[in-house]
C-alpha cells in the first residue's frame, strides 16, 4: 500500500492511500481519517460511500465530517466509487462505468472483470484497514450519499450484525423502479430482475429491515427527487416499523451543502449507536 498524502486535521490525520485491489483487479485509492484517539487505541469506523461521479475525494474535502469524527473518536473511510484505469471498461454516460460502480459485483460483460465494488467494500477494504490501521473491526457503522446512500443501506441490510447503525443522505432509495438503478443493475447484473432485489433498499426494508437504528435525510428541493424515490423507502420503513428516522429537510438540494449541513447529526447518531456518546 502506498501513502499518497497525510495531513493533520482536527488533531487527527486525513490520509489518502493506494493499493492493488484483488477484487477490482486494479489499483484503488481511498481516504481514511484517523481521529486523535487512534494514537492510543483502536477506534470505531464510519464508512462513507459516495455518489455518482465521485472519487474518494469529494466527501473527504466537502462533507465537513472530520471535525465531528475527531470529537466523537471515530475513523472515517472514504472508498472510491468504482474501479478505474485505461484497462477498465467505461461508458460515455456519467451514470455508468467508472465513477458509477453502484456497489455491486457485476456479472455481465464488459463490466464483470473489474466492477466488484460489493466485494471491495464488504470484504477486501475492511480486511486491509484492520491489518494496517488502528481500527476496531468489531465497531463499524455506515453512511453514504445518493448512489452511496444506496450502497450504505443495501450493505447494512444484507450484512446483519456488521454495522451498528446505518444512515443515508438522499439515497437512491428504490433503484429497481428508477432510471438511476434499472440502467445500471441491468448493465452490471443482467436482465433477470430477481438478481437486482438484493440491491434495492426499499425492497430490503420491506423484506427484512435493519437490526439497528436508521437515519435518512432528504432535501425537499433535491433536483433528483424523482430518481431517488425517497417516499418508497419512507413508506417501507413505516410499514416495517423500522426503528429510526426519515427526515424531509425543507429547502435543501442534492449538493454537498446539504450533506455537510447534516453531517454532524449523522456522526453523532453513529457515535451513539457505537457506544461513544
Ligand atoms: N453530473 C450529473 C450529476 C452528478 C452528481 O450530482 N453527483 C452527485 C451524486 S448523484 C448520485 O449518486 C455528487 O455527489 N457529485 C459530486 C459532488 O462533489 O457534488 C448531472 O449533472 O446530472
Amino acid at each position: 500500500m502506498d501513502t499518497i498524502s497525510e495531513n493533520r486535521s482536527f488533531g487527527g490525520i486525513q490520509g489518502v492511500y493506494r493499493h492493488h485491489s484483488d477484487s477490482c483487479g486494479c489499483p484503488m485509492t481511498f481516504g481514511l481519517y484517523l481521529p486523535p484517539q487512534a494514537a492510543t487505541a483502536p477506534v470505531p469506523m464510519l464508512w462513507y460511500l459516495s455518489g455518482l461521479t465521485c472519487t474518494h475525494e469529494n466527501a473527504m474535502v466537502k462533507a465537513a465530517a472530520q471535525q465531528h469524527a475527531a470529537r466523537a473518536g471515530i475513523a472515517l473511510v472514504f472508498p472510491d466509487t468504482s474501479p478505474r484505469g485505461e484497462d477498465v471498461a467505461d461508458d460515455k454516460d456519467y451514470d455508468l462505468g467508472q465513477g458509477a460502480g453502484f456497489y455491486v459485483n457485476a456479472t455481465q460483460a464488459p463490466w464483470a472483470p473489474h466492477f466488484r465494488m460489493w466485494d471491495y467494500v464488504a470484504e477486501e477494504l475492511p480486511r486491509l484497514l484492520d491489518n494496517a490501521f488502528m481500527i476496531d473491526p468489531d465497531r463499524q457503522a455506515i453512511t453514504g450519499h445518493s448512489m452511496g446512500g444506496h450502497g450504505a443501506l443495501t450493505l447494512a441490510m444484507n450484512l446483519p450484525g456488521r454495522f451498528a447503525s446505518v444512515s443515508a443522505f438522499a439515497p437512491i432509495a428504490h433503484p429497481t423502479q428508477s432510471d438511476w438503478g434499472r440502467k445500471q443493475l441491468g448493465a452490471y447484473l443482467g436482465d433477470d430482475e430477481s438478481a437486482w432485489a438484493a440491491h434495492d433498499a426499499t425492497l430490503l426494508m420491506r423484506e427484512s429491515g435493519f437490526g439497528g437504528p436508521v437515519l435518512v435525510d432528504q432535501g425537499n428541493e433535491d433536483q433528483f427527487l424523482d430518481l431517488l424515490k425517497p417516499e418508497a423507502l419512507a413508506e417501507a420503513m413505516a410499514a416495517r416499523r423500522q426503528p429510526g428516522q426519515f427526515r424531509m429537510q425543507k429547502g435543501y438540494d442534492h449538493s454537498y451543502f446539504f450533506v455537510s449541513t447534516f453531517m454532524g447529526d449523522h456522526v453523532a447518531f453513529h457515535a451513539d449507536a457505537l457506544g461513544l456518546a
Side-chain angles (χ1 to χ4, degrees), residues 161-274:
R162 172 77 65 92
F163 302 103
S165 44
V166 61
S167 73
F169 301 85
I172 298 176
H174 200 8
T176 61
Q177 300 303 320
S178 168
D179 288 344
W180 269 358
R182 295 190 64 79
K183 170 182 177 177
Q184 296 83 357
L185 296 173
Y188 297 143
L189 303 180
D191 292 337
D192 177 2
E193 295 190 23
S194 64
W196 303 2
H199 298 285
D200 184 306
T202 293
L203 298 182
L204 290 166
M205 183 57 69
R206 285 183 196 150
E207 187 68 27
S208 55
F210 178 64
V214 177
L215 173 62
V216 179
D217 274 315
Q218 172 65 62
N220 81 335
E221 297 287 339
D222 191 316
Q223 58 272 42
F224 300 119
L225 272 176
D226 289 344
L227 291 163
L228 300 169
K229 305 203 176 300
E231 58 287 342
L233 179 61
E235 279 164 24
M237 285 175 69
R240 167 149 298 281
R241 298 173 181 167
Q242 169 68 48
Q245 274 188 289
F246 186 103
R247 309 191 302 190
M248 193 56 87
Q249 301 289 3
K250 186 165 182 244
Y252 287 89
D253 62 18
H254 199 64
S255 69
Y256 268 90
F257 293 108
F258 157 68
V259 173
S260 56
T261 298
F262 297 103
M263 181 54 75
D265 288 0
H266 284 241
V267 173
F269 161 78
H270 290 295
D272 185 37
L274 289 162

Side-chain angles (χ1 to χ4, degrees), residues 51-54 58 62 94 145-148 172 180 224 254-256:
L52 293 166
T53 72
C54 291
N58 298 65
K62 289 164 83 173
Y94 75 91
H145 172 229
S146 197
M147 177 184 72
I172 298 176
W180 269 358
F224 300 119
H254 199 64
S255 69
Y256 268 90

Side-chain angles (χ1 to χ4, degrees), residues 5-156:
S5 60
E6 286 185 330
N7 296 90
R8 185 153 299 277
S9 170
F10 295 95
I13 299 286
Q14 177 61 66
V16 176
Y17 307 94
R18 185 175 299 137
H19 68 112
H20 174 79
S21 163
D22 290 335
S23 312
C24 296
C26 65
M28 292 292 281
T29 304
F30 66 90
L32 175 69
Y33 178 70
L34 287 176
Q37 295 84 341
T40 49
V43 292
M45 170 163 67
L46 175 60
W47 293 81
Y48 182 99
L49 304 185
S50 290
L52 293 166
T53 72
C54 291
T55 67
H56 68 283
E57 192 176 50
N58 298 65
M60 191 180 84
V61 301
K62 289 164 83 173
Q66 289 86 353
Q67 59 192 307
H68 307 295
R71 200 172 305 122
I74 193 165
L76 301 167
V77 191
F78 303 98
D80 202 347
T81 56
S82 78
R84 294 181 193 274
E86 286 183 6
D87 298 337
V88 175
D90 202 2
D91 189 88
K92 64 180 182 354
D93 293 341
Y94 75 91
D95 60 359
L96 189 67
Q98 297 188 33
F102 251 76
Y103 306 100
V104 301
N105 288 336
T107 56
Q108 307 297 304
W111 314 107
H114 297 283
F115 282 72
R116 300 190 61 82
M117 287 304 289
W118 183 275
D119 280 357
Y120 179 65
V121 172
E123 305 296 340
E124 182 175 2
L125 191 50
R127 249 193 329 266
L128 184 151
L129 295 172
D130 184 23
N131 288 335
F133 297 98
M134 283 285 260
I135 295 295
D136 179 353
D138 295 328
R139 289 189 295 165
Q140 298 185 50
I142 190 163
T143 187
H145 172 229
S146 197
M147 177 184 72
H150 143 79
L153 289 162
T154 55
L155 279 153

